[in-house]
Amino acid sequence: MSFKIQINALRRRITRSLTKNVGTAKLKNNRNANSKVDFKNVLISRPNHRLGNLLLISPLVQEINATFPDCKIDLFVKGGLAPIIFKNYTSVDNYINLPKKPFNEVLKYIQVWIKIKQKKYDLVINIDKNSSSGRLSTQYANADYKFFGEDNEAITTRYKDHVHMAKYPVYEFRYYLEQLGFPNKEKEIPTINMKLSDLELKQSKIILDELVPNDKKTIAIFTFATGEKCYSPEWWNPFYEKLKIAFPDYHIVEVLPVENVSQINFKGPSFYSKDVREIAAFIANTELFIGADSGIMHLACASQIPVLGLFSVTIPEKYEPYGNGSIAIDTNTTTAEGIIELAKVRLLSSL
């Protein structure tokens, strides 16, 4: 482990220990079962730049839209991906972008925190209870109601899937609305959704048809992931060969990562793009996606097709794909043949 990584890990441990109790007491004071509110301006705090983490905000945005159709939402994030992801969400009004390297951009870092304080919000929601910047921004923001994302026994005992990073904020939002006098909502959590346009889907269908003949439907695979989540070529190569044998009536196309690498050494047709909306639209034109836990796996979910998410080191319950027939597969206990059988079930159900 490099010295830089060690320093960053130490910095995160220190800041988390200093901020873990920020906002806890104030949250209790927000509960007022006799009040009726109409949220017009909401701030969602998720100061993270990763594709998957930003996509996992989209169910909460949809939930707020469904409950308060006229509400405008600001996102406190990092990097430049959020405006691309939420391009077709008309309710998302502003993006407050925290610089990736605050010590290199001190002035911009200060300006961001000033911007948070300047606007009056009805509600601020922190997505990740373990995010120091998230908790601090929620505490710092000017708002009547604030949810800090800490564990709530009333939620954790009611919903078995509360661990999921996309679902807990929605459950938290619903729960506290109940405390404010709103009726209880017992319906499915919105899926992760990029809200792709018809034009985006049409253009990517042309790309797919140019890559492989349109005489067959297509299965998309993604063989890459970061760190220990990445399966080796020794795992992917035999799986890929079995997949081709099991599905002779389907094209199998590899979606490549930004690093432009392939764990199957580019054996089959492959698609490469740096445009996340184009990637999502391309995947949306396929019938099934198979890939390890990664930002692209979540992007595949956001394209609204069935996803088989492969998990070996991360906690499936926290990041598993859901909706549209998507499932998480623990590859420590499921063989390649087992994965293929699950793929067959998903493809049959989509016919």
Side-chain angles (χ1 to χ4, degrees):
M1 184 183 295
S2 70
F3 179 71
K4 183 178 180 181
I5 293 174
Q6 290 177 324
I7 290 295
N8 286 333
L10 177 61
R11 175 184 57 79
R12 284 192 293 267
R13 286 198 298 269
I14 293 173
T15 53
R16 284 174 183 171
S17 66
L18 292 173
T19 60
K20 64 181 180 180
N21 293 319
V22 169
T24 302
K26 186 171 183 180
L27 180 58
K28 296 178 181 178
N29 295 331
N30 283 337
R31 302 177 188 175
N32 183 354
N34 296 319
S35 66
K36 272 289 185 180
V37 296
D38 182 17
F39 294 133
K40 295 292 187 182
N41 291 286
V42 172
L43 174 65
I44 296 176
S45 182
R46 188 57 166 121
N48 191 284
H49 68 280
R50 293 185 179 277
L51 174 62
N53 287 330
L54 294 173
L55 285 166
L56 290 168
I57 303 172
S58 63
L60 176 61
V61 174
Q62 294 172 68
E63 183 73 16
I64 295 172
N65 290 161
T67 310
F68 302 102
D70 297 327
C71 182
K72 292 298 181 181
I73 300 169
D74 290 357
L75 299 180
F76 176 45
V77 292
K78 275 186 181 180
L81 273 178
I84 298 169
I85 292 170
F86 293 95
K87 175 184 176 182
N88 290 336
Y89 281 80
T90 56
S91 62
V92 178
D93 200 30
N94 292 299
Y95 301 91
I96 305 173
N97 292 304
L98 198 66
K100 287 185 181 180
K101 299 178 180 181
F103 295 109
N104 295 342
E105 301 176 80
V106 176
L107 181 59
K108 185 178 179 181
Y109 183 80
I110 294 171
Q111 289 173 337
V112 165
W113 288 95
I114 292 173
K115 188 175 182 180
I116 289 175
K117 193 68 173 179
Q118 285 177 334
K119 188 170 180 178
K120 176 66 167 64
Y121 293 100
D122 299 312
L123 169 66
V124 181
I125 302 173
N126 177 45
I127 296 294
D128 184 4
K129 65 180 181 180
N130 294 316
S131 168
S132 301
S133 297
R135 296 186 73 89
L136 286 171
S137 62
T138 304
Q139 178 71 8
Y140 184 64
N142 185 11
D144 296 325
Y145 298 92
K146 299 179 181 183
F147 306 160
F148 288 84
E150 67 260 39
D151 291 335
N152 183 319
E153 188 176 353
I155 298 172
T156 59
T157 55
R158 187 190 299 183
Y159 304 107
K160 292 181 179 179
D161 57 351
H162 70 272
V163 176
H164 201 284
M165 286 296 293
K167 295 181 178 183
Y168 187 85
V170 177
Y171 286 136
E172 184 183 41
F173 179 69
R174 291 177 180 179
Y175 173 79
Y176 285 107
L177 286 184
E178 286 182 46
Q179 311 312 300
L180 295 171
F182 287 81
N184 178 32
K185 271 190 178 182
E186 291 292 350
K187 63 178 184 179
E188 290 186 3
I189 300 290
T191 59
I192 300 167
N193 196 339
M194 283 279 282
K195 290 195 174 183
L196 296 164
S197 69
D198 291 339
L199 179 60
E200 288 173 318
L201 293 169
K202 184 179 179 180
Q203 289 175 336
S204 288
K205 181 65 166 65
I206 293 172
I207 295 173
L208 176 62
D209 290 344
E210 289 176 348
L211 185 62
V212 291
N214 61 7
D215 59 330
K216 297 180 183 179
K217 294 181 178 180
T218 301
I219 296 171
I221 62 172
F222 182 71
T223 67
F224 192 69
T226 57
E228 294 180 345
K229 293 186 293 184
C230 188
Y231 290 77
S232 68
E234 289 73 25
W235 189 93
W236 268 110
N237 277 291
F239 177 75
Y240 174 66
E241 295 302 325
K242 291 175 182 178
L243 202 62
K244 288 194 297 181
I245 294 170
F247 297 101
D249 296 329
Y250 286 83
H251 295 297
I252 299 172
V253 174
E254 182 179 10
V255 177
L256 297 171
V258 67
E259 294 85 355
N260 199 21
V261 296
S262 168
Q263 299 295 81
I264 58 171
N265 198 27
F266 302 96
K267 286 181 180 177
S270 59
F271 168 74
Y272 180 82
S273 174
K274 292 183 179 181
D275 183 337
V276 295
R277 296 197 69 85
E278 185 177 63
I279 298 169
F282 181 88
I283 294 172
N285 280 288
T286 67
E287 302 302 309
L288 178 72
F289 175 93
I290 304 174
D293 176 22
S294 64
I296 298 297
M297 181 199 76
H298 293 300
L299 192 67
C301 284
S303 72
Q304 303 288 288
I305 69 161
V307 171
L308 299 187
L310 309 178
F311 288 76
S312 60
V313 292
T314 46
I315 303 170
E317 292 78 12
K318 194 171 183 180
Y319 298 106
E320 65 185 348
Y322 70 94
N324 303 300
S326 299
I327 59 169
I329 300 172
D330 184 349
T331 57
N332 296 306
T333 57
T334 307
T335 63
E337 291 76 13
I339 297 170
I340 288 171
E341 288 304 311
L342 289 169
K344 289 178 179 178
V345 171
R346 293 303 177 278
L347 289 170
L348 284 172
S349 63
S350 64
L351 293 177

